Amino acid sequence: MDKTLKLRAALLSCLLLLALVGVWHVATQTTATGGETLDPEYAMLMGLSADSQKSGGFPTPAEFGASALGHLASPFYDNGPNDKGIGIQLMHSLWRVGAGFLLAMVVAIPLGFLIGMSPLLYQTLNPFIQVLKPISPLAWMPIALYTIKDSTISAIFVIFICSIWPMLVNTAFGVAAVRKDWLDVARTLEVKPLRKAFRVVLPAAAPTIITGMRISMGIAWLVIVAAEMLVGGTGVGYFVWNEWNNLSLNNVIFAVLMIGLIGMLLDLMFAQLQKKVTYVE
């Protein structure tokens, strides 16, 4: 039954995708055939005939497909600072996200353990967490650029500051929600605190911790695109902004699609990890 449901869902997804592509094709064909004749001087400047039609500039599915195949055929080319393949741009973005995310893990998970196990520490730090958590990560970018004076490290810092809060809160919640009778058994057996943390608390809180990591990764991948648009240089966010400045909507749409696919893969990775540590009582 589960396999049948998945097959039906996959079929409906394919049909929906075909319908969307069909609407895209009809919309772009209508725009292309309903335009006005180009000005002769403009047509000569652009190398077109005077009988050419103005279009909305939005590519057709066929044009987008040809452009996407070109990117996928050579994703790692490097022709200078402003002309790098999508593979190189994604690698730069993933490296920044990975560095900031790992730093957030190093800080958030141990601190979340301490907060979850100590009501006093929770009451002490909770006001600071509640004030800092709602601040947009990009609001930290001007401060980071002024103090750090390095665009790459500033972007990593922004990823760190946006990743830390979901992990911290979920870790503290997961640790605080560990069943009291399990802790009582560990206390009765005189289990040492460090052993109790790794053998009792961590396995019980692991699903909630992974959920926090999953949320943090989703936010980090969202933020890095916007951060790279601000700092420039390299990365998929810079690629989108640079192609927009070049009025290449084909490349912009392709980059947006790649951002979505990479984000989906990252989420699936944490979803599989969450399944590994989740147990049924």
Side-chain angles (χ1 to χ4, degrees):
M1 184 64 181
D2 186 48
K3 289 184 179 179
T4 305
L5 180 62
K6 288 182 178 179
L7 183 61
R8 291 169 59 191
L11 181 61
L12 287 174
S13 295
C14 292
L15 291 174
L16 180 59
L17 176 61
L18 289 174
L20 291 173
V21 173
V23 172
W24 180 4
H25 174 74
V26 171
T28 50
Q29 289 298 113
T30 303
T31 303
T33 57
E36 301 173 357
T37 303
L38 292 174
D39 179 77
E41 293 182 2
Y42 177 78
M44 185 180 297
L45 180 65
M46 300 302 293
L48 303 172
S49 67
D51 295 331
S52 299
Q53 298 286 322
K54 284 184 179 179
S55 67
F58 205 86
T60 64
E63 292 171 343
F64 169 75
S67 176
L69 287 175
H71 283 292
L72 294 175
S74 181
F76 296 103
Y77 73 86
D78 189 349
N79 294 331
N82 294 323
D83 191 10
K84 299 180 187 293
I86 189 67
I88 294 177
Q89 306 288 14
L90 287 170
M91 286 175 62
H92 281 285
S93 297
L94 288 170
W95 180 81
R96 292 179 182 125
V97 168
F101 187 80
L102 287 175
L103 286 173
M105 281 181 59
V106 170
V107 175
I109 294 178
L111 184 58
F113 256 83
L114 294 175
I115 293 173
M117 299 180 74
S118 172
L120 176 62
L121 193 60
Y122 170 80
Q123 294 295 334
T124 302
L125 296 180
N126 188 53
F128 297 95
I129 295 172
Q130 297 307 319
V131 169
L132 295 174
K133 186 175 63 173
I135 299 175
S136 170
L138 293 179
W140 294 98
M141 182 60 79
I143 299 174
L145 288 171
Y146 180 80
T147 55
I148 300 174
K149 296 180 172 55
D150 184 278
S151 59
T152 298
I153 300 177
S154 297
I156 292 173
F157 170 77
V158 169
I159 297 303
F160 165 80
I161 206 69
C162 79
S163 300
I164 192 171
W165 306 118
M167 274 193 279
L168 179 64
V169 172
N170 275 51
T171 301
F173 176 78
V175 171
V178 175
R179 288 174 55 173
K180 189 174 182 298
D181 51 350
W182 294 350
L183 299 176
D184 291 339
V185 170
R187 189 179 300 110
T188 301
L189 297 175
E190 298 183 353
V191 178
K192 294 182 179 180
L194 189 61
R195 183 178 175 83
K196 180 176 71 173
F198 281 98
R199 299 300 296 271
V200 179
V201 178
L202 181 59
T208 308
I209 296 172
I210 299 298
T211 299
M213 294 170 64
R214 187 177 178 181
I215 296 170
S216 292
M217 179 56 73
I219 295 173
W221 188 241
L222 285 172
V223 169
I224 192 61
V225 175
E228 287 171 344
M229 285 183 178
L230 292 176
V231 301
T234 54
V236 69
Y238 171 72
F239 180 84
V240 170
W241 190 248
N242 190 49
E243 294 304 321
W244 163 247
N245 288 331
N246 294 332
L247 299 179
S248 179
L249 284 179
N250 263 326
N251 293 339
V252 171
I253 296 170
F254 176 74
V256 168
L257 181 62
M258 293 303 298
I259 291 168
L261 289 174
I262 296 297
M264 182 184 70
L265 291 175
L266 291 172
D267 186 73
L268 286 175
M269 180 181 70
F270 280 98
Q272 291 301 315
L273 182 59
Q274 191 173 18
K275 288 182 180 178
K276 296 290 185 183
V277 300
T278 302
Y279 57 91
V280 179
E281 297 184 25

